[in-house]
Amino acid sequence: DRNCILVVDDDREFTAAVCIALEKLFPQMDIIKAYDGNQALNLAESRRPAIIILDMMLPKRSGFLLLEKVRRKDEGTRIKPYVIMVTANEGARHQAYAEMLGVNKYLKKPFNMEQLTNEVTTAVSVM
């Protein structure tokens, strides 16, 4: 769904804040959310969002496993979701792994909402 953004984070306050910011900036987009990796995978497969904002550390299935699944499923298709991974983890190893899996952008928490919305604006502009 080219008009869909999936926000995945187990921190419900963070997820709510991101969704509110995105709904204001992108009223034409359907903003959906998931709080664990399995729920996110189901939504990613059923809705095929244009953009996924993905936490690395999630219950049930990590952001890395989700990213790997999403990228593998989309190998043969022309349209791939733009994936922005967000994490509180400082390790450079994790960022390198995310980039190897095909993440488009890697943001370290805490970041200001403007950084995230600028990234989403960039993603929307290349859709």
Side-chain angles (χ1 to χ4, degrees), residues 101-126:
L101 291 175
V103 76
N104 296 91
K105 189 67 179 180
Y106 190 89
L107 295 177
K108 289 184 181 134
K109 294 177 184 175
F111 50 81
N112 68 39
M113 196 60 75
E114 194 177 350
Q115 281 177 281
L116 181 61
T117 56
N118 286 344
E119 271 312 310
V120 174
T121 300
T122 298
V124 168
S125 72
V126 298

Side-chain angles (χ1 to χ4, degrees), residues 43-92:
L43 285 169
E45 289 177 338
S46 64
R47 297 293 304 272
R48 300 187 56 75
I51 301 165
I52 301 175
I53 298 167
L54 178 62
D55 187 21
M56 181 173 50
M57 304 298 286
L58 294 167
K60 299 185 182 173
R61 184 186 301 261
S62 79
F64 287 130
L65 288 173
L66 187 67
L67 176 60
E68 195 173 13
K69 274 253 196 231
V70 166
R71 286 296 184 240
R72 192 173 306 132
K73 284 211 174 309
D74 284 341
E75 265 174 20
T77 63
R78 239 185 44 223
I79 300 168
K80 293 180 170 41
Y82 190 98
V83 180
I84 302 167
M85 186 167 269
V86 295
T87 182
N89 191 304
E90 287 298 316

Side-chain angles (χ1 to χ4, degrees), residues 6-41:
L6 173 59
V7 180
V8 186
D9 200 304
D10 59 328
D11 179 336
R12 290 176 184 263
E13 284 179 26
F14 173 81
T15 302
V18 170
C19 290
I20 289 166
L22 294 176
E23 285 163 357
K24 275 186 192 154
L25 280 173
F26 306 100
Q28 76 282 14
M29 302 293 278
D30 187 12
I31 314 299
I32 58 174
K33 54 188 164 272
Y35 301 110
D36 69 56
N38 288 342
Q39 184 185 23
L41 182 60

